[in-house]
Amino acid sequence: MRKQFIFYWLMLLAGGLLAQPPAGNYNANSRFEQMGSMLPTPNTTRTASGAPGKDFWQQRADYDIKAELDDDKRKITGTETITYFNYSPDELKYVWLQLDQNLFEKNSINATSQNNSIQNQMSANAVTGLNTPSSVRGSVAGDFSYKITAVKDPKTSQPLKYTINGTMMRIELPVGIKTGQSYAFSVDWNYFINEYYGRAGYEYFPKDGNTNYFIAHWFPRMCVYDDVNGWQHKQFLGQGEFTLTFGNYKVALTVPNDHIVGATGELQNAAQVLTSEQQKRMEKAKTATRPVLIVSQEEAEKAEKSKPTGKKTWIYKAENVRDFAFATSRKFIWDAMQIEQAGKKVMCMSLYSKEGNPLWGQYSTMVVAHTIRSYSKFSVDYPYPVAYSCHASGGGMEYPMISFNGGRPEADGTYSEGTKYGMIGVIIHEVGHNFFPMIINSDERQWGWMDEGLNTFVQYLAEKEWDKDFPTRRGEPQFIVDYMKMDPKNLVPIMSSSDNIMLYGPNAYAKPATALNILRETVMGRELFDYAFKEYARRWAFKNPTPADLFRTLEDASGVDLDWFWKGWFYGVEAVDQDLVEVEWFAMDTQNPEINKAAAKKEADAKRNTVARQRDKDYIKESVVDKNPDMKDFYNTYDPYKVTEADKKKYDTYLASLNPDERKLVESGMNFYTLKVKNKGGLPMPVIVKMQFEDGTDSVARFPAEIWRLNDQNISKVITSKKKVVQWTLDPYREIADIDEESNSFPRQPAQPTKFQLFKGGPGGFQRGPNPMREAQQNQQPKAGQQGGAKN
């Protein structure tokens, strides 16, 4: 409804007397108060700005490892010497190591804490697996935990006392490691390799009798000792990933002599393990613009049919990494292409068996190279000399310089669009993990989202740079709506420990990635966000940040107060649900009689045009007054809407009382709209409203989240427009993950109809449904061509 109001009322509004909400609606709230004690107290180790302090320290662990793979037994036997450097202010009388393979022990916390039940119908595997760790896949039973055979001081050969507690091992030292000192000790171990379960293991191929190995968390690794937790020795339960210490690695891997190996670090003895032809191809890869085959599919298929005649030892070195992993098989096709990133040469490579082609040959290494470039732009330059993508049976898992990725075409070489983009997406994601957390080294055991969420966000950016039309799964606000619609009783905040999170994918991946995207696009803007996010990566490269360091850095480098955002998105489970309850339309009362009386007449005529009056035109042929003119008086001819000289004089006097600015405003013809918005979801967010005008054009107005700071339940906002607005829409571009779009429009727009199909029945009037076999025969396509991408 359009309303008119006098100029004095406008002056009150312009003067701010109505800027505060009425006292009865005021809702004192803490949503926009600073986080204060919710964050740890700044100190000289971690500053209030979010940067490492002058007294920041972290430990270091160097590894010298020798290990051998027994292909027949699927067993690894190894020995390692760990040199541990203590840069903390504390003397350490014992150290803690992670024994991640002990996840698979029958009585592990992972196994015994599983919830399960008996169903009416169960398979034998399901019954026998009731007390088996949920992360073990496959029907092969066995003990895949570590067998520690020796722990000793390598200088004296004296054994060291140790205690194993689940997936952790404490080693007692003969003397404490004082600040600035180091201590070396050795561990001998072996274990049987489990079937690939998403993080590591083997994949067996019955057709050719060969096995691909993807080996990770395969050696006892140092726990982190830091200024936040002391020793981070939370048990490994399968979901909370790995918290690790940087160091230098020298690793000698002995495998069957027909195997191809890829690993963290640079190969040191290529001349001893590669053929002369393979070395020539590797040289060619250094200047290629497309991947070069180091081992072709034909060569890999030939190797599948042979048997090893001996062993080879591949030696690798890696500097300043937090972990070491490798892949090995005689089935591997190997391609490579070198790129340059910020003046540093990076050899991008892929290892995949023929089961991965044609997808892997065409895409994998090209995607690796793209990921290195894209992530370097948004965070820090990739510092390492190599980056591998290895074709595993499914899922994806990351380690420094190497990742194990799924995405496999059908046996005939065809594949769906989902398979293609799923594979490209998982390679971007897992190679991207080199940055988060392999370089920006967050505590994955505690804060899974700092690893997965930040990486998923940059993955989202990298996918769009790979293909503008990439079907991204996570990052866009509209994709998180279904999750945020759920009953809050079934949700936990992002700021929850990794092993305690329900719905890990939406919570640790999608929601934090979406939150960062909203910061970038809507709250902060790209320029401020990109600078601050890159500053966070720069500050914490090769260090171990906490959530507070991220929160503080993004505010410090951008100058944007985001405490309200962290509270809502990361510490809470409320949803975004803004309701455009009402829009009131006002127009200036110009007091011009020509305008006002004409408008009044039009309105009066409209009101008089009732159905009774319309019918009376024919029903009442002649009234009494019509028959008797002497019954008429002044009022029968009086026109209350006629502009009189007195009206004109009064208007002229009014205009003369106005100064030029006031007169310009009165004559502007401006429309004034009061929007009333309700925060039904609880999570305050910016208010974005689209105005569609009578002439077919539109415009968008944006108001920051602080509009809710004095009343987080209801707001009232005046918007002025020269044009008449015919439709209002909140969040028109789906920027804030509003869970109810139907309440975002005024006037309300009808929901989309639920569609139904009309079909003509077959015999007996019954349609039996689709016939996949017939459809396949009718739409059969030629088989995919030869393997693509790489060349000799």
Side-chain angles (χ1 to χ4, degrees), residues 196 198-199 201 203 212-215 260-264 316 325-329 332-335 348-353 356 360 364-365 368 387-408 423 426-428 430-431 434:
Y196 190 78
R199 297 200 187 279
E203 180 182 7
N212 290 348
Y213 294 93
F214 306 96
I215 306 301
I260 295 296
V261 178
T264 300
Y316 291 87
F326 68 96
T328 180
S329 176
F332 280 155
I333 303 164
W334 181 9
D335 68 41
C348 302
M349 296 180 279
S350 295
L351 297 174
Y352 48 98
S353 52
W360 276 72
S364 179
T365 295
V368 172
Y388 279 97
S389 169
C390 305
H391 177 40
S393 57
M397 191 61 203
E398 73 281 358
Y399 303 95
M401 305 186 222
I402 190 169
S403 58
F404 309 149
N405 307 311
R408 182 168 295 175
M423 185 201 81
V426 78
I427 293 175
I428 290 175
E430 305 306 338
V431 174
N434 276 286

Side-chain angles (χ1 to χ4, degrees), residues 723-774:
K723 299 178 181 180
K724 179 182 176 182
V725 181
V726 295
Q727 183 65 53
W728 301 83
T729 307
L730 291 179
D731 191 27
Y733 306 121
R734 298 179 173 88
E735 297 180 54
I736 60 174
D738 194 303
I739 65 171
D740 183 7
E741 291 188 2
E742 290 187 21
S743 66
N744 286 359
S745 61
F746 191 93
R748 290 286 193 255
Q749 294 297 304
Q752 292 296 319
T754 300
K755 296 182 179 180
F756 65 95
Q757 292 183 339
L758 183 68
F759 63 87
K760 184 177 180 180
F766 179 73
Q767 183 177 2
R768 295 183 178 275
N771 185 331
M773 182 178 293
R774 183 182 300 128

Side-chain angles (χ1 to χ4, degrees), residues 23-85:
N25 293 333
Y26 178 74
N27 180 44
N29 65 85
S30 61
R31 295 185 189 275
F32 291 88
E33 292 295 328
Q34 297 301 287
M35 296 181 72
S37 60
M38 293 179 68
L39 297 179
T41 303
N43 52 46
T44 57
T45 303
R46 296 172 189 269
T47 67
S49 70
K54 63 184 181 64
D55 296 324
F56 179 83
W57 56 268
Q58 63 183 21
Q59 310 291 65
R60 174 181 151 195
D62 291 350
Y63 295 80
D64 190 338
I65 305 174
K66 297 178 178 63
E68 181 172 342
L69 167 68
D70 186 328
D71 190 21
D72 294 326
K73 296 180 179 179
R74 297 192 183 118
K75 181 180 180 181
I76 288 180
T77 302
T79 181
E80 66 181 335
T81 298
I82 302 175
T83 304
Y84 188 70
F85 298 84

Side-chain angles (χ1 to χ4, degrees), residues 460-489:
Y460 164 79
L461 301 178
E463 285 176 346
K464 293 193 299 180
E465 291 194 332
W466 171 266
D467 184 342
K468 292 178 182 178
D469 296 321
F470 198 99
T472 56
R473 294 192 306 125
R474 292 164 172 158
E476 288 286 353
Q478 60 185 306
F479 298 158
I480 199 68
V481 165
D482 287 343
Y483 172 71
M484 297 185 74
K485 277 183 179 179
M486 294 176 62
D487 188 335
K489 295 178 182 178

Side-chain angles (χ1 to χ4, degrees), residues 284-297:
K284 185 178 180 181
K286 292 181 179 179
T287 56
T289 58
R290 286 292 185 273
V292 172
L293 284 168
I294 312 304
V295 176
S296 69
Q297 179 165 329

Side-chain angles (χ1 to χ4, degrees), residues 239 483 486 490-492 500-510:
Q239 182 161 278
Y483 172 71
M486 294 176 62
N490 299 323
L491 302 177
V492 296
N500 301 332
I501 292 174
M502 300 180 289
L503 301 172
Y504 199 77
N507 182 284
Y509 291 70

Side-chain angles (χ1 to χ4, degrees), residues 518-749:
I518 290 173
L519 284 180
R520 184 173 189 257
E521 300 290 4
T522 302
V523 176
M524 300 169 69
R526 292 188 176 188
E527 183 178 1
L528 286 176
F529 178 89
D530 289 352
Y531 180 89
F533 189 76
K534 196 171 181 70
E535 177 65 9
Y536 165 73
R538 186 195 67 78
R539 285 179 175 182
W540 290 100
F542 300 104
K543 298 180 179 69
N544 55 328
T546 66
D549 300 317
L550 170 67
F551 298 158
R552 285 169 166 157
T553 294
L554 290 187
E555 292 194 32
D556 179 71
S558 68
V560 180
D561 180 8
L562 298 172
D563 282 24
W564 63 272
F565 190 86
W566 310 131
K567 287 180 183 179
W569 277 88
F570 287 78
Y571 287 84
V573 295
E574 291 178 313
V576 180
D577 186 2
Q578 296 179 0
D579 181 0
L580 184 51
V581 177
E582 185 181 7
V583 178
E584 294 181 329
W585 179 23
F586 298 87
M588 181 74 65
D589 184 355
T590 65
Q591 302 187 43
N592 185 337
E594 300 282 356
I595 296 175
N596 288 2
K597 287 196 171 184
K601 184 178 187 306
K602 184 177 180 181
E603 183 177 356
D605 289 344
K607 289 180 179 180
R608 284 167 55 86
N609 188 29
T610 65
V611 66
R613 285 182 175 274
Q614 294 176 30
R615 292 170 179 172
D616 283 345
K617 290 179 181 179
D618 294 326
Y619 183 75
I620 303 175
K621 302 299 183 180
E622 190 175 24
S623 70
V624 172
V625 171
D626 291 333
K627 294 178 180 179
N628 302 279
D630 60 315
M631 294 292 102
K632 296 182 180 180
D633 68 359
F634 170 83
Y635 291 103
N636 290 101
T637 58
Y638 171 67
D639 182 2
Y641 304 108
K642 180 180 179 181
V643 178
T644 66
E645 290 300 321
D647 291 334
K648 295 178 181 179
K649 184 176 181 181
K650 182 179 179 182
Y651 178 58
D652 290 340
T653 302
Y654 168 68
L655 290 180
S657 70
L658 302 178
N659 64 39
D661 289 338
E662 291 170 342
R663 181 163 181 168
K664 181 179 180 181
L665 184 58
V666 167
E667 295 175 343
S668 66
M670 194 70 68
N671 295 287
F672 297 82
Y673 297 94
T674 301
L675 279 65
K676 295 182 179 180
V677 184
K678 183 178 181 62
N679 179 11
K680 294 197 301 185
L683 181 52
M685 288 293 286
V687 175
I688 307 157
V689 60
K690 180 179 180 180
M691 297 164 280
Q692 291 173 265
F693 300 114
E694 195 174 34
D695 63 2
T697 61
D698 58 61
S699 180
V700 174
R702 294 174 177 270
F703 306 101
E706 284 81 0
I707 196 171
W708 301 97
R709 71 186 184 278
L710 299 178
N711 186 330
D712 62 354
Q713 297 179 13
N714 298 282
I715 60 168
S716 176
K717 188 67 178 178
V718 173
I719 295 179
T720 60
S721 171
K722 183 74 173 178
K723 299 178 181 180
K724 179 182 176 182
V725 181
V726 295
Q727 183 65 53
W728 301 83
T729 307
L730 291 179
D731 191 27
Y733 306 121
R734 298 179 173 88
E735 297 180 54
I736 60 174
D738 194 303
I739 65 171
D740 183 7
E741 291 188 2
E742 290 187 21
S743 66
N744 286 359
S745 61
F746 191 93
R748 290 286 193 255
Q749 294 297 304

Side-chain angles (χ1 to χ4, degrees), residues 138-273:
S139 59
V140 179
D143 183 1
F144 305 112
S145 60
Y146 286 112
K147 303 299 181 292
I148 305 297
T149 56
V151 179
K152 58 187 177 182
D153 184 320
K155 291 183 179 179
T156 64
S157 296
Q158 292 297 310
L160 300 176
K161 184 178 179 180
Y162 65 92
T163 302
I164 294 177
N165 176 19
T167 59
M168 298 292 164
M169 179 170 72
R170 185 187 67 231
I171 300 177
E172 299 176 31
L173 306 177
V175 293
I177 313 175
K178 292 182 169 58
T179 303
Q181 293 183 342
S182 64
Y183 181 75
F185 58 93
S186 64
V187 181
D188 297 347
W189 81 96
N190 64 77
Y191 75 96
F192 290 95
I193 304 167
N194 51 279
E195 188 175 358
Y196 190 78
Y197 76 108
R199 297 200 187 279
Y202 72 85
E203 180 182 7
Y204 176 66
F205 294 84
K207 285 187 177 181
D208 54 59
N210 291 298
T211 304
N212 290 348
Y213 294 93
F214 306 96
I215 306 301
H217 45 82
W218 56 284
F219 58 97
R221 303 180 291 178
M222 289 299 307
C223 292
V224 165
Y225 184 82
D226 65 15
D227 61 302
V228 178
N229 299 301
W231 287 108
Q232 171 53 290
H233 45 33
K234 284 174 60 69
Q235 294 288 329
F236 179 43
L237 304 183
Q239 182 161 278
E241 295 184 42
F242 313 109
T243 304
L244 299 162
T245 299
F246 286 108
N248 300 327
Y249 285 75
K250 180 181 178 183
V251 181
L253 300 170
T254 300
V255 298
N257 66 346
D258 60 348
H259 270 216
I260 295 296
V261 178
T264 300
E266 287 186 287
L267 180 63
Q268 301 296 298
N269 62 334
Q272 284 72 50
V273 296

